[in-house]
Amino acid sequence: MKSDSLPPGRTMNSDTHMRMGHPIVSSLIIFCSIIVLSISAWLTSCFTVDDNYFSLAERDRTRFLLFTSAWTIVFSVLYMLFFFYLPGSVLGSVGSHIVFLFLTFIFWTSGATSIITVLGAELNSNTQKNIIYLDQLNALQGFAWVTEALVTFALVAVLIRGIIAARPGSDHHDNFDDRDNIIVRLSKVPIRSLPESQPPHY
């Protein structure tokens, strides 16, 4: 046994946390994204039919959150399927999860920041009476920030798993080639441990 390898208990606990945490966090992300999708879709419909948005920025930011929530729902469902059925493939790897979560993190951070900036500017201008859907917009930005926090947590958790798996002495280190860069190595690390009868296939 290598001296710098992780203790068996720690490895087991880490994988157990990933097996339990991935579906739970993904489900919460999907749930919050559905709420954002519902609010933003309703607002977009109202803006389109009644043309009663108070600024183009409000309309465009709402549409962006509509896109972001739809993106998150579709790909979160796909990555849950990868997690359960294709953990040994490139699509179910730590590297693939990092790419998806990083893009999603950028989308949610940009969307939540932009909508709160628009609302803040309007409220500071004492034009609150012109904001017809103030309660809905406040709910939209609130759930956008909650979803952003969940995505950030998921991204950090996956990064930690990738760092632990890529270090010398880990269970996955034998699958690496000395010429592999960090991206290739992370694409060879499954998001969860595989049964002995199911080797990774890349």
Side-chain angles (χ1 to χ4, degrees), residues 53-136:
Y53 46 87
F54 63 78
S55 69
L56 290 175
E58 178 199 22
R59 184 199 65 182
D60 294 341
R61 270 54 169 192
T62 302
R63 288 179 177 177
F64 181 74
L65 283 174
L66 175 61
F67 158 77
T68 300
S69 57
W71 157 283
T72 305
I73 292 169
V74 171
F75 281 95
S76 293
V77 170
L78 286 176
Y79 273 86
M80 284 189 72
L81 295 176
F82 299 156
F83 177 82
F84 286 112
Y85 300 108
L86 296 172
S89 68
V90 173
L91 293 174
S93 68
V94 168
S96 178
H97 276 74
I98 289 175
V99 172
F100 158 63
L101 288 171
F102 181 71
L103 287 174
T104 307
F105 166 79
I106 292 176
F107 289 159
W108 280 109
T109 302
S110 301
T113 302
S114 63
I115 196 70
I116 198 173
T117 300
V118 169
L119 284 176
E122 291 298 324
L123 292 176
N124 289 336
S125 299
N126 296 319
T127 57
Q128 183 171 343
K129 62 181 181 181
N130 295 329
I131 306 178
I132 302 176
Y133 306 111
L134 182 60
D135 292 338
Q136 291 84 351

Side-chain angles (χ1 to χ4, degrees), residues 6 8 19 27 37-38 41 47 51 62 65 67 77 83 90 97 123 125 145 156 159 171 178 188-189 195:
L6 294 174
R19 286 175 178 271
S27 298
L37 177 72
S38 301
F47 294 157
D51 200 31
T62 302
L65 283 174
F67 158 77
V77 170
F83 177 82
V90 173
H97 276 74
L123 292 176
S125 299
W145 280 115
V156 171
L159 283 171
D171 295 337
D178 292 338
K188 292 182 178 181
V189 178

